[in-house]
Amino acid sequence: SYFERFLRLTGSLGRREAPDTTDLSFDRFIAEGEARISSGAFSADLTSLGDRREYDGAARSDYWFVYTTGGLTWTHNSGAAVTARAESELLYYDVESRTYFDNHFIRGSVRLRVPASENSHFSIEPRIASLRCESFTEERYDEWSVVIGFDLLGSEAYWLTFSWEPGYRSYALEDNPIYSDFRINRLSLMASGKLADMLSANLFVSHDPEKHTRRTDDFTITMVSVSVSLDF
């Protein structure tokens, strides 16, 4: 059973050819494992992926990318649930440069989900994250945030998910020539619904403003996507 006892192991080999820029041709190996187990009110999951790229030339260094995530969930009879989760993203280069350098991103969170009705729930998820980088102090930072979310699921007729993530990112180097500390205020909305028997609409909105201690670094990314589909 995918949700109760599940184990998947995969391995793949690949090759990319870039005839105009042979230095960017590479061989690739990917190994991935995924496991999930459930017993009573508790469930746990673990996923790990290792990606190795070996380039033909010297323009880019060969490297490892290793991503791991795992979580433990306790679910109450009422539908309320608590999930503790940890994530790790590791980039390790055979030869470092100012552009391509070793770094390790880690994040931990605890999420509380509470039912609001039969088909909706609220959630709150405090997070703490850190980027570690031995070679370049200016890249290191710690980040604190909390994700407040609402999900509405109406079977195949409609669904909606909304999240707001306020927080703060603090860089380790005080007089950082590249980055400055900033407040996080991420907003995300995804929705889908049927307008008629054969007609449906989808909406995606993402708004991510950054308010920096160095005001000239202020930055905002906003994305809006709307699509209408006609099914035959």
Side-chain angles (χ1 to χ4, degrees):
S1 169
Y2 180 79
F3 293 101
E4 294 179 0
R5 288 176 179 267
F6 176 78
L7 175 65
R8 178 174 64 90
L9 299 173
T10 64
S12 57
L13 294 171
R15 170 72 181 173
R16 177 186 177 183
E17 293 286 350
D20 295 334
T21 312
T22 54
D23 273 6
L24 296 182
S25 298
F26 60 81
D27 295 317
R28 189 178 188 188
F29 172 71
I30 301 174
E32 184 177 7
E34 180 182 2
R36 185 176 289 106
I37 189 170
S38 177
S39 177
F42 289 92
S43 62
D45 65 273
L46 178 66
T47 300
S48 186
L49 177 144
D51 185 350
R52 171 66 175 178
R53 298 192 184 190
E54 296 183 351
Y55 288 86
D56 290 358
R60 290 194 59 176
S61 169
D62 303 341
Y63 70 88
W64 279 99
F65 171 71
V66 181
Y67 173 75
T68 304
T69 179
L72 178 65
T73 300
W74 173 79
T75 305
H76 190 262
N77 293 333
S78 64
V82 178
T83 301
R85 179 161 295 278
E87 299 175 59
S88 168
E89 293 184 23
L90 175 65
L91 267 172
Y92 181 79
Y93 291 89
D94 291 7
V95 179
E96 287 189 277
S97 68
R98 191 60 189 87
T99 306
Y100 305 108
F101 49 87
D102 298 349
N103 62 83
H104 188 194
F105 174 78
I106 52 176
R107 177 165 59 195
S109 66
V110 177
R111 181 173 185 253
L112 172 64
R113 186 186 69 180
V114 179
S117 66
E118 185 178 351
N119 61 348
S120 65
H121 63 261
F122 290 99
S123 63
I124 182 168
E125 182 182 356
R127 291 177 170 180
I128 183 169
S130 180
L131 181 70
R132 304 292 88 187
C133 177
E134 296 298 328
S135 301
F136 302 102
T137 310
E138 61 270 25
E139 299 289 340
R140 303 176 198 166
Y141 66 78
D142 294 315
E143 182 177 295
W144 305 267
S145 66
V146 56
V147 181
I148 300 169
F150 174 73
D151 294 305
L152 177 64
L153 304 175
S155 186
E156 296 181 357
Y158 62 87
W159 62 267
L160 178 147
T161 178
F162 169 80
S163 68
W164 171 43
E165 184 180 6
Y168 193 80
R169 179 178 294 185
S170 175
Y171 284 89
L173 190 63
E174 287 191 14
D175 297 323
N176 197 320
I178 304 176
Y179 308 106
S180 59
D181 300 351
F182 64 88
R183 296 195 306 273
I184 299 165
N185 202 24
R186 302 177 181 126
L187 294 170
S188 176
L189 172 67
M190 291 186 290
S192 178
K194 282 188 172 294
L195 304 178
D197 289 342
M198 300 171 60
L199 195 64
S200 61
N202 300 283
L203 171 67
F204 171 73
V205 179
S206 175
H207 182 59
D208 189 1
E210 297 179 3
K211 296 297 182 181
H212 287 253
T213 53
R214 188 165 56 214
R215 296 184 61 183
T216 53
D217 291 344
D218 286 358
F219 189 72
T220 299
I221 296 177
T222 302
M223 294 179 60
V224 179
S225 174
V226 180
S227 65
V228 177
S229 303
L230 182 64
D231 298 328
F232 296 95

